[in-house]
Amino acid sequence: MMVCDIGGSQKEQPFETFGFLIFDLDCNPHWLNGQAAFRRNALIQRRRMAFKALNDGLRRRSLVPFLTLAEVLNGVLVTFAVHKVDRPIMGDGGATHEELAPLWKPAVINRLMWVIYLGAFLVSGFSPVGQDVMFIINEDEIAANVPQLTKLTDLFARAVSNQQGPMRGHLRCGTTKSDDGSLALEDLAALPDLTAGAVAEFVAALALKGAGPLSPLLQKLPSGVSWKTRQIIPWALASGGSLERFVCLIDSVPGSQKWRATIPRWFTVPDLIKSGSLLQTA
């Protein structure tokens, strides 16, 4: 199963973020049991955990226990931060645009294509031969109705089939509306939602008020970073454990027409941060 959410919608944020949680639900009984207990004991009134909704006291108090519970998941959480200007254009012209224009606005089409291509890239790397895949996305502007969801399934299947390697098994797409009432699917979708929102705010603060998210200089964490991002970012960057977590920045190479994908490693001391690249390709 792959669950996706998107962040970075604010105009002052230079990076758009795409969070993907990849896991096998059958291999995660401990998380399912913990999630049921969490819902009974922490989140009353069936409230959803979401980055934009963390301002009420109950959600604030539940954030750390929720993230701690997620650490028992056996899976991978990848958050891509894609520069809104300095990035390649993903299939938004010609016949593709004409095909998608009746269902989505131009800005949404660009976002949709990034979701599809990044998701297909991850599927190609994590799925063995014959693997069935369920792709879940929140009910937002990308999959707000049945026609959009139907076309999303078709586009995602095309993108996966175009990846190098053997064909996969069955591919299905759905939204968090498919939740069975336990809110397990909602809580799984909350993880890429939280990291997408926090990473968008974090890299924006470093880009606009600091030396940049990839600067090797030791710099002070900008004061404008919210309390929730200060809580989520150290968790999202933590290494080890059954839930692997990565952040990948995609932008242009300075002074070149090439673009790059970088997995940075941020080293932190209280209120200070330094970056060192683990991987960089052009």
Side-chain angles (χ1 to χ4, degrees):
M1 181 174 286
M2 176 184 290
V3 187
C4 172
D5 214 316
I6 306 170
S9 60
Q10 299 182 23
K11 292 183 179 180
E12 65 271 18
Q13 294 176 334
F15 287 86
E16 197 164 39
T17 50
F18 304 85
F20 294 87
L21 175 64
I22 306 107
F23 61 98
D24 184 338
L25 196 58
D26 291 336
C27 295
N28 283 283
H30 296 300
W31 181 87
L32 286 171
N33 293 334
Q35 184 268 342
F38 175 78
R39 279 288 162 184
R40 287 194 303 268
N41 302 326
L43 284 180
I44 61 174
Q45 299 177 357
R46 302 179 62 80
R47 301 186 188 190
R48 299 174 60 187
M49 292 295 291
F51 186 79
K52 293 181 180 179
L54 288 178
N55 295 323
D56 72 80
L58 185 57
R59 289 189 178 92
R60 289 171 69 104
R61 292 191 296 271
S62 301
L63 178 59
V64 172
F66 183 74
L67 295 177
T68 301
L69 170 63
E71 292 178 359
V72 307
L73 268 170
N74 183 7
V76 180
L77 179 60
V78 185
T79 306
F80 295 94
V82 185
H83 200 281
K84 293 179 180 178
V85 178
D86 297 330
R87 65 180 183 183
I89 298 175
M90 290 292 189
D92 66 342
T96 302
H97 178 78
E98 295 176 359
E99 179 183 359
L100 304 182
L103 293 174
W104 293 282
K105 297 179 180 179
V108 180
I109 290 176
N110 189 271
R111 196 171 302 125
L112 166 69
M113 299 311 294
W114 274 99
V115 167
I116 290 170
Y117 282 112
L118 291 174
F121 165 72
L122 292 174
V123 167
S124 70
F126 284 104
S127 297
V129 178
Q131 176 70 59
D132 294 334
V133 177
M134 169 62 81
F135 178 74
I136 299 292
I137 192 167
N138 264 335
E139 290 181 278
D140 56 11
E141 55 191 2
I142 287 180
N145 52 55
V146 173
Q148 287 183 343
L149 183 59
T150 301
K151 178 55 71 173
L152 171 64
T153 305
D154 174 53
L155 294 170
F156 196 55
R158 288 192 223 170
V160 171
S161 65
N162 286 336
Q163 294 290 323
Q164 292 183 357
M167 293 294 293
R168 311 300 167 186
H170 297 293
L171 173 66
R172 294 180 292 166
C173 294
T175 69
T176 49
K177 188 178 180 180
S178 303
D179 191 276
D180 61 4
S182 67
L183 297 185
L185 196 55
E186 291 278 5
D187 288 340
L188 288 166
L191 294 173
D193 173 278
L194 293 172
T195 58
V199 169
E201 182 181 322
F202 175 67
V203 295
L206 293 177
L208 300 177
K209 300 179 181 179
L214 297 179
S215 173
L217 300 175
L218 190 66
Q219 55 185 312
K220 185 176 182 180
L221 188 64
S223 58
V225 175
S226 66
W227 72 269
K228 53 188 177 183
T229 291
R230 289 176 181 269
Q231 290 276 3
I232 296 169
I233 283 298
W235 179 87
L237 301 179
S239 59
S242 59
L243 180 63
E244 293 288 348
R245 284 150 278 180
F246 301 95
V247 174
C248 179
L249 271 63
I250 299 177
D251 63 355
S252 64
V253 178
S256 171
Q257 295 183 345
K258 296 182 178 180
W259 60 283
R260 61 187 178 181
T262 309
I263 299 177
R265 181 179 180 183
W266 283 290
F267 305 88
T268 61
V269 293
D271 292 325
L272 296 174
I273 191 162
K274 180 182 179 182
S275 174
S277 297
L278 291 179
L279 172 68
Q280 181 168 309
T281 61

